[in-house]
């Protein structure tokens, strides 16, 4: 998506932490989302953060939001081979729909 | 389990032969979306329904149509598929337009 940018690839070793970054443009976004897509499957909502929050933690997942810089990150602790997938960030818009980034392919090496 | 179901999972059609993809949901969500996704790119929104209100994206080709006969079902009709329409088609639902979306598994369309 042209308004949401992500790095395309990330490779980590099993057990390490993964950090996937995203920048967005719509300062009026209320919610920012992280979705996971495994090969041949639809997108699965992983977590989301409300725009008035700085951080949200959910088990191995930590979302950080820097609203001033319009920067969102997803940290996966103790990354496992099952975490290998494409991760999309998305912002909601005033138009009542989400704008998705192009996705970050996470590869976890044993 | 409440879910979003897409049928079929794989569809092969011939160039120019009309095809319909279906989506159903048990979440009772007001909003249903159709996306086209190519080669693990960002899903591209084609259109969405907010209840019965149809919202077409400006760059969605006329070749693509949609119907939502009731809350649970939504259909994507491709009137004359071209080779460039081969893609994964994803249906998603949401309780409200700005809220999180729940995706179906997708239908992989092949055009021969």
């Amino acid at each position: 998506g042209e308004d949401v940018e992500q790095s395309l690839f990330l490779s980590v070793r099993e057990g390490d932490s993964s950090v996937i970054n995203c920048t967005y443009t719509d300062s009026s976004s209320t919610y920012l989302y992280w979705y996971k897509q495994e090969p041949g499957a639809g997108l699965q909502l992983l977590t989301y953060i409300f725009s008035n929050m700085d951080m949200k933690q959910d088990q191995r997942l930590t979302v950080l939001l820097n609203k001033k810089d319009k920067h969102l990150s997803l940290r996966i602790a103790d990354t496992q081979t099952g975490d290998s997938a494409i991760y999309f960030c998305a912002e909601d818009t005033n138009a009542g729909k989400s704008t998705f980034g192009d996705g970050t392919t996470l590869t976890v090496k044993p | 389990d409440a879910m979003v179901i897409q049928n079929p999972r794989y569809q092969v059609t011939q160039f120019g032969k009309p095809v319909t993809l279906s989506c159903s949901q048990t979440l009772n969500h007001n909003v249903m979306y159709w996306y086209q996704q190519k080669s693990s790119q960002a899903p591209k929104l084609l259109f969405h329904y907010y209840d019965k209100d149809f919202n077409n994206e400006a760059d969605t080709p006329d070749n693509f149509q949609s119907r939502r006969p009731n809350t649970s079902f939504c259909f994507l009709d491709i009137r004359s598929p071209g080779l460039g329409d081969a893609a994964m088609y994803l249906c998603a639902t949401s309780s409200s337009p700005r809220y999180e979306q729940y995706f179906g598994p997708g239908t992989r369309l092949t055009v021969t």
Side-chain angles (χ1 to χ4, degrees):
Chain A
E2 58 182 351
D3 296 324
V4 180
E5 294 187 355
Q6 303 177 235
S7 52
L8 293 182
F9 301 99
L10 176 66
S11 180
V12 300
R13 294 230 171 258
E14 193 173 19
D16 288 349
S17 293
S18 306
V19 180
I20 302 171
N21 294 302
C22 170
T23 56
Y24 62 97
T25 56
D26 190 343
S27 58
S28 67
S29 291
T30 303
Y31 295 98
L32 294 137
Y33 303 98
W34 284 103
Y35 291 87
K36 176 184 180 183
Q37 187 177 33
E38 297 183 1
L43 277 69
Q44 172 197 355
L45 177 70
L46 275 182
T47 187
Y48 65 92
I49 189 167
F50 192 58
S51 61
N52 68 353
M53 298 170 66
D54 298 324
M55 185 182 87
K56 180 179 180 181
Q57 188 152 1
D58 184 0
Q59 298 182 335
R60 292 191 298 123
L61 305 178
T62 303
V63 179
L64 295 178
L65 175 60
N66 181 329
K67 202 170 178 184
K68 174 176 167 288
D69 295 337
K70 297 190 184 69
H71 183 265
L72 182 73
S73 68
L74 174 69
R75 179 177 180 269
I76 305 173
D78 186 26
T79 314
Q80 303 297 306
T81 54
D83 295 324
S84 292
I86 301 174
Y87 291 80
F88 291 94
C89 69
E91 59 174 351
D92 74 344
T93 70
N94 277 326
K97 55 191 178 183
S98 291
T99 299
F100 289 83
D102 283 332
T104 299
T105 298
L106 174 65
T107 302
V108 182
K109 298 179 180 177
Chain B
D1 286 341
M3 57 192 346
V4 182
I5 301 163
Q6 290 189 245
N7 284 306
R9 293 294 312 277
Y10 302 92
Q11 175 74 57
V12 179
T13 191
Q14 292 177 332
F15 183 93
K17 184 174 181 182
V19 66
T20 295
L21 310 181
S22 79
C23 176
S24 63
Q25 54 132 341
T26 59
L27 297 160
N28 203 34
H29 281 170
N30 295 324
V31 191
M32 294 188 78
Y33 305 84
W34 278 106
Y35 291 90
Q36 180 191 66
Q37 188 182 31
K38 293 185 177 183
S39 302
S40 300
Q41 295 173 8
K44 178 180 181 297
L45 182 64
L46 296 173
F47 23 59
H48 74 278
Y49 275 94
Y50 186 6
D51 293 328
K52 294 183 180 180
D53 185 22
F54 178 69
N55 299 274
N56 198 31
E57 292 301 298
D59 58 355
T60 298
D62 292 339
N63 200 22
F64 291 83
Q65 305 282 317
S66 185
R67 296 169 283 135
R68 189 179 186 186
N70 54 52
T71 301
S72 300
F73 285 86
C74 197
F75 300 97
L76 169 61
D77 301 307
I78 308 176
R79 292 193 295 187
S80 182
L83 297 178
D85 296 327
M88 174 78 94
Y89 289 87
L90 297 168
C91 172
T93 73
S94 178
S95 60
S96 186
R98 299 187 73 162
Y99 288 3
E100 69 273 18
Q101 296 182 25
Y102 294 83
F103 283 79
T107 295
R108 170 74 64 187
L109 178 68
T110 300
V111 182
T112 61

